[in-house]
Amino acid sequence: MYVAETQENSSEVSQLSTSEEVGSQEDQPTLVYPWLYLEEFFKMVGCKNNSFRMRCKLCAPKYHELMAFKNSPSNLKKHIEKKHPTRLERYTQLTSASLKRKSSTEGSLAPPSKQTKLWETQRVSQASEDKVVLNFIGVTAHWFNPQTLQRSCAALACKQLKGSHTFSALAGALNDIHTEFNIREKIVRTTTDNGSNFLKAFRIYGQTDENNNPEPVEESDGEEDDGGQNDDDDEEESVEGVEFVDAGALLDEDDYLEYQLTKQHRCACHLLNLVSTVDALKAEVNPLYKRVSRSTFAKCSSLWNKSSRSTTASEVIEDHCKLQFLRPVATRWNSLFSAVERIVRITREQGEGALAAVCSELDTPKFTPVELAFLAEYAKTMSPVAKALDVLQGETSVQMGWLVPTITLLRTKLQQLNIASKFCEPLIAALLSGLEKRFGEMLTDPELIAAAILVPKFKTCWTSDENILKLGLDYIRSHLDCQAKNHISEGSQSSEEEDFFSSLKRC
């Protein structure tokens, strides 16, 4: 009996409080229901601060009131999930239908927001992007000071490129810069990256040792002078053999003589970067190497991501390893080598237990002994490549003569590593193949070989191939003979040039 009376009294209290609330709300202004699609489940009772007071209809006859923040009905959803799970599917349907209606009408009815959110951005075409993103071409000049023989450099231009970056647009931009500074006849070579637009620009408008442009048809062919002794029959035969063409089409045809570019030299650092990335991937043709490599680098990527996204993870790594991990940068291959080398160093100095402890605390897959051995051999294999890249990226002492000896020595070191390799033999084969494909012509270029021989650091000690040395020495002798003839005709000689080449003669 006591329990029944308590329930009745509580019901009366609830009804009384409800009636009092209704009475108090009569003085308040009319409230707009915030989420009409949820009217099936909830009734708005009032408003308090920044929240709506909602009564659940599903809980009737029991009175249950909830507070829902004005910007989000998440509390209402939680109530449905907890108290009325059988109605959750219906709740989801109502919410989804409302979102679809909202997205279809927002574009035409809603005013534009003050700031576009990242997830509200839309894809745009390349033409629209070109209107917003400004693209530039940078040109620098490098030369030797004739008085001090010291290398000098200067930035010539940082010019905006409008429109598509076609080969003709690049050729026009370079041609304008050369004309502006009056250096066209002074340029020996132009070094660019290996983008297809740059390659085509120099293939069409540039020069090689002879001439890279299409050879013109000689006008003398078939037009030999017969002394004016042509008879009428010959004249008729010549008329019959004439092919008539549209002169307008010939005038409109591009003869590729609009621009004049110098010889091109592909950036050796960019080529070596391609060898280390694109060509190195061909090692995965070997199934064993592919399985070990992918599993190892997947675990490395997991560690790198965790260490860079959480300060707590960084503290854990610092405590166990005494060093932080290095995260690779996609545009620079040697950053990947440095990151792998750091893991190998931590394993060597702190032991495999330190790395295992980090993986355990960060909840990442642990390395197996085979994978750790693979990382050590990978770092050892790629170390000569990374060092060669650092050498060629030098700004002060590196000259054109360093290219051939550096690549030649790199090939030799890789071949020596191949003898004792256990895991990375396919990688070494892929690297050697890439070096041959991308640097093969340069390694037999007489001008580049001669430049290497003329560097006192190398002379002829960087290779034992007599045929290679002969190409460079013959190139040097031919140019010395030309200079000697010019000096004799001019009646003067340069003591500086004699001193420079005297060391070469003693070699």
Side-chain angles (χ1 to χ4, degrees), residues 8 22 24 40 105 111 126 154-155 162 166 180 185 193 211 263 283 298 301 357 392 409 455 457-458 472:
E8 290 176 0
V22 172
S24 62
E40 179 180 335
T105 57
Q126 182 64 40
K162 298 182 179 181
T166 60
E180 178 182 355
E185 304 301 327
D193 61 27
N211 195 336
K263 301 176 186 178
S301 298
L392 295 178
L409 185 59
V455 176
K457 181 182 182 66
F458 302 115

Side-chain angles (χ1 to χ4, degrees), residues 444-494:
T444 57
D445 186 343
E447 185 177 7
L448 296 179
I449 298 171
I453 295 175
L454 293 175
V455 176
K457 181 182 182 66
F458 302 115
K459 298 182 182 179
T460 60
C461 62
W462 51 272
T463 181
S464 58
D465 192 336
E466 296 295 334
N467 294 327
I468 294 294
L469 294 176
K470 186 176 184 302
L471 290 174
L473 293 174
D474 290 344
Y475 182 90
I476 295 172
R477 292 190 186 97
S478 63
H479 283 70
L480 285 176
D481 292 340
C482 294
Q483 289 184 3
K485 293 178 181 178
N486 292 336
H487 288 318
I488 293 174
S489 61
E490 295 172 3
S492 62
Q493 290 185 345
S494 172

Side-chain angles (χ1 to χ4, degrees), residues 3-19 61-63:
V3 176
E5 289 177 354
T6 305
Q7 291 177 348
E8 290 176 0
N9 292 336
S10 64
S11 176
E12 292 176 359
V13 172
S14 298
Q15 292 176 1
L16 179 62
S17 62
T18 303
S19 62
K62 183 179 179 180
Y63 184 85

Side-chain angles (χ1 to χ4, degrees), residues 312 314-324 350 358:
T312 304
S314 299
E315 293 173 358
V316 170
I317 296 170
E318 182 72 26
D319 292 340
H320 290 283
C321 302
K322 311 305 178 185
L323 289 171
Q324 286 293 339
Q350 305 300 329
V358 170

Side-chain angles (χ1 to χ4, degrees), residues 276 297 304 328-329 332-341 378:
S276 307
F297 280 108
W304 293 330
V329 181
R332 299 184 68 84
W333 167 83
N334 51 354
S335 66
L336 173 62
F337 167 77
S338 300
V340 173
E341 192 179 38
Y378 176 88

Side-chain angles (χ1 to χ4, degrees), residues 37 64 236 245 266 282 290 306 331 394 400 433 445 476:
Y37 58 92
H64 193 106
E236 291 177 359
V245 296
R266 301 186 185 186
K282 297 178 181 179
K290 179 179 180 180
K306 282 287 184 71
T331 55
M400 184 66 74
S433 176
D445 186 343
I476 295 172

